[in-house]
Amino acid sequence: MTTKTRSGAASSGHDAKSPDEYAQVPMIKTALPGPRAQAAIALDEKYVSPSYTRGYPFVMHRGRGLAAEDVDGNVFLDFTAGIAVNATGYCHPEVVKAIKEGAEHFQHMSGTDFYYREQSELARTLAEHTFGGVERRVFFSNSGTEANECALKLARWYTKRQYVLSFRGSFHGRTYGSMSIGCSKAIHRNHFAPLPAGVVHGNYPYAYRADPHLKTPEAVADDCLAYIENIVFKKEILPEEVAGIIVEPVQGEGGYVVPPANWLSGLRRICDKHGILLIFDEVQSGMGRTGKFFAHEHWGVIGDIVTVAKGIASGLPLGAVIARREVMSWPPGSHASTFGGNPIACRAAQVTIRLLDEGLTENARVVGAYFKQRLEDLARKHDVIGDVRGLGLMVATEIVKSKATRERAPELRNRLELEAFKLGLLILGCGENTIRFCPPLVVTRGEVDRCIELYDAALQNAVK
Ligand code: PLP
């Protein structure tokens, strides 16, 4: 039975057993959703904004590593990591220690008006970790969308130009500036106009969905690059008016689309030619997830501005904008945030980055490659897996009616999420018809094997 604590918050009443004792993951012992989950969902439906996109009724209680226990004591294997956020898994002891220590020092001091070392030390760490060997400065926010707002302001401020180019299929956040550059789902913009002006869109090289006359992925990227030069810059807006090109090195919400090898270097060439800043949105693809600290390192291309959030602080809200020192030279008062760069979040980020350096980024590379290969094996068995793609632990399967037609199967994708949930596996969709896997970077081969078994079973149940 749910009991009330003094604060009025619900406690599930089954805390006696420590989560470190999870004998088996997953372990489903009630019908789903269980009684406490049903009560929590009823409360949520009464009081919480219905704008969120819950695909299935999982109600989190607590977790360890990849084990996510719901309020009824069911234990799930979590391959979502809270949308690519819990880089070090649930409750990594070193992250918990850093958070506790930070809370005992101070919870907040506005970095807008005062100094604290947690912020400046993390700025140094991020600057030194950013690819390119150039001097960098860092601005701290609370989230990915705020990081992108900062990047947009900075690019426009530095270049004194008005326009920004972004890509169809991209997602950069929900605030007005980020919404203006995002272009992945019409619902994100529905009835929210007018959006800030000054945005033009290009095409992202999505080889699996490209025109078949473009024979290779590189030809698809060349076509998208030519579109910028020949259509956007000739028919819509002169390049001299473009402040920045913002791009996800691997497109996230748009469907975990990994671009061909010539894509980012082609964008860099266009930017250099026209004096445009190249902005990498690494909010989802960064922080070790793809097997490198930042995904753009896979292609050896240097960004002028890099935005980051999600995995940076193992679940604490934090975002950052890392820019070439010369670019981030705006005067006092031009940009700030009360909460951005919270000291406890900064401590959690320092530990997270140390853990990445000590092996988690490498784990993402090695276990991610193994995972992708296991998914490719599974794709040979299931005709509805049209494409397997990804880098490191940012991997996905595109769900289609059949390999031959490549026709999108969004209903089947949604059923698949639900069937996986029933078996104790947490996964998430992205794009129109894709299932993404973005587990914590602590994931083991054994956990990947278990995920594959469950996904295989879920596929069988979903296609019935
Ligand atoms: N940029 C990318 C690439 C993202 O994937 C997301 C979130 O999914 C965002 C920005 C927005 O981040 P937030 O939800 O923290 O505002």
Side-chain angles (χ1 to χ4, degrees):
M1 208 183 79
T2 302
T3 53
K4 284 257 174 146
T5 64
R6 253 189 290 174
S7 69
S11 138
S12 74
H14 59 80
D15 289 349
K17 200 169 174 212
S18 154
D20 295 319
E21 293 167 37
Y22 292 138
Q24 200 185 324
V25 183
M27 167 65 85
I28 304 302
K29 36 190 197 197
T30 71
L32 294 175
R36 292 191 188 105
Q38 287 182 34
I41 291 165
L43 186 67
D44 189 286
E45 282 174 354
K46 186 157 182 207
Y47 290 109
V48 176
S49 163
S51 57
Y52 300 116
T53 53
R54 281 77 171 260
Y56 48 85
F58 173 75
V59 182
M60 181 70 178
H61 174 53
R62 59 183 179 175
R64 284 289 183 282
L66 268 79
E69 184 183 339
D70 80 357
V71 285
D72 293 290
N74 298 302
V75 183
F76 294 78
L77 183 64
D78 183 0
F79 269 64
T80 74
I83 325 188
V85 169
N86 301 316
T88 53
Y90 292 113
C91 298
H92 190 290
E94 294 196 45
V95 175
V96 172
K97 182 165 167 270
I99 292 170
K100 284 183 174 164
E101 281 172 7
E104 279 165 6
H105 276 70
F106 64 109
Q107 290 79 49
H108 169 79
M109 170 48 83
S110 173
T112 293
D113 299 297
F114 301 100
Y115 302 91
Y116 49 87
R117 285 176 298 185
E118 285 83 348
Q119 235 186 40
S120 43
E121 286 169 4
L122 181 60
R124 177 179 60 195
T125 303
L126 287 169
E128 289 176 357
H129 273 73
T130 303
F131 179 72
V134 294
E135 281 192 67
R136 310 262 184 180
R137 278 182 173 142
V138 177
F139 177 89
F140 288 107
S141 67
N142 302 285
S143 63
T145 195
E146 284 174 79
N148 286 329
E149 295 287 336
C150 169
L152 293 179
K153 284 176 72 175
L154 183 61
R156 286 179 169 130
W157 176 85
Y158 178 73
T159 59
K160 309 291 181 281
R161 299 177 179 186
Q162 294 181 24
Y163 284 88
V164 174
L165 178 93
S166 60
F167 295 97
R168 300 194 174 96
S170 70
F171 181 80
H172 299 288
R174 303 280 192 165
T175 49
Y176 265 92
S178 301
M179 207 171 32
S180 73
I181 51 174
C183 190
S184 62
K185 292 197 177 89
I187 185 76
H188 295 164
R189 295 162 156 226
N190 192 33
H191 296 312
F192 297 135
L195 304 181
V199 177
V200 281
H201 286 111
N203 296 321
Y204 196 91
Y206 187 171
Y208 182 67
R209 290 278 159 211
D211 185 334
H213 88 267
L214 298 164
K215 295 274 184 258
T216 62
E218 287 70 26
V220 177
D222 282 339
D223 192 56
C224 296
L225 293 166
Y227 180 89
I228 297 173
E229 289 280 20
N230 299 335
I231 308 291
V232 178
F233 290 170
K234 293 216 169 102
K235 298 188 189 297
E236 292 185 50
I237 196 76
L238 288 175
E240 293 76 26
E241 283 205 89
V242 178
I245 295 182
I246 181 161
V247 62
E248 292 166 85
V250 176
Q251 219 169 47
E253 301 303 304
Y256 274 30
V257 182
V258 183
N262 53 334
W263 172 239
L264 291 189
S265 56
L267 291 180
R268 182 73 268 177
R269 238 188 344 270
I270 291 175
C271 286
D272 290 345
K273 181 171 161 199
H274 301 292
I276 298 169
L277 297 176
L278 183 56
I279 307 165
F280 291 138
D281 178 341
E282 288 271 9
V283 168
Q284 189 150 178
S285 57
M287 306 311 297
R289 174 149 300 281
T290 67
K292 303 248 185 215
F293 192 75
F294 286 128
H296 61 270
E297 292 170 42
H298 286 281
W299 299 283
V301 178
I302 300 172
D304 300 300
I305 301 176
V306 179
T307 62
V308 48
K310 285 196 185 282
I312 186 172
S314 290
L316 267 66
L318 184 68
V321 180
I322 309 153
R324 283 200 289 114
R325 185 184 167 83
E326 175 210 341
V327 172
M328 194 173 273
S329 56
W330 42 11
S334 37
H335 198 50
S337 165
T338 299
F339 287 119
N342 169 274
I344 302 174
C346 286
R347 283 175 183 251
Q350 283 286 15
V351 174
T352 302
I353 294 170
R354 180 168 56 71
L355 292 168
L356 295 181
D357 290 349
E358 287 174 0
L360 294 188
T361 304
E362 179 60 7
N363 193 60
R365 187 181 71 77
V366 174
V367 178
Y370 173 70
F371 191 12
K372 193 168 161 215
Q373 176 229 308
R374 296 267 357 235
L375 286 171
E376 279 161 359
D377 293 343
L378 206 58
R380 278 188 276 282
K381 180 170 164 192
H382 294 277
D383 195 36
V384 296
I385 300 182
D387 192 27
V388 175
R389 52 182 179 253
L391 276 177
L393 290 171
M394 188 173 185
V395 281
T397 54
E398 182 156 343
I399 306 301
V400 292
K401 297 211 168 138
S402 80
K403 279 193 178 66
T405 64
R406 296 192 179 193
E407 195 183 334
R408 294 179 192 268
E411 298 84 13
L412 176 58
R413 188 277 308 274
N414 295 347
R415 264 202 319 277
L416 193 45
E417 274 183 324
L418 190 60
E419 291 299 332
F421 168 66
K422 288 190 207 157
L423 296 172
L425 173 67
L426 302 183
I427 49 177
L428 277 173
C430 63
E432 268 179 65
N433 54 312
T434 295
I435 291 281
R436 71 177 122 181
F437 301 85
C438 47
L441 311 189
V442 293
V443 67
T444 62
R445 276 175 184 245
E447 286 164 329
V448 163
D449 290 341
R450 191 78 187 102
C451 168
I452 294 287
E453 274 171 41
L454 294 163
Y455 192 49
D456 188 5
L459 276 156
Q460 290 175 37
N461 295 344
V463 292
K464 262 183 206 155

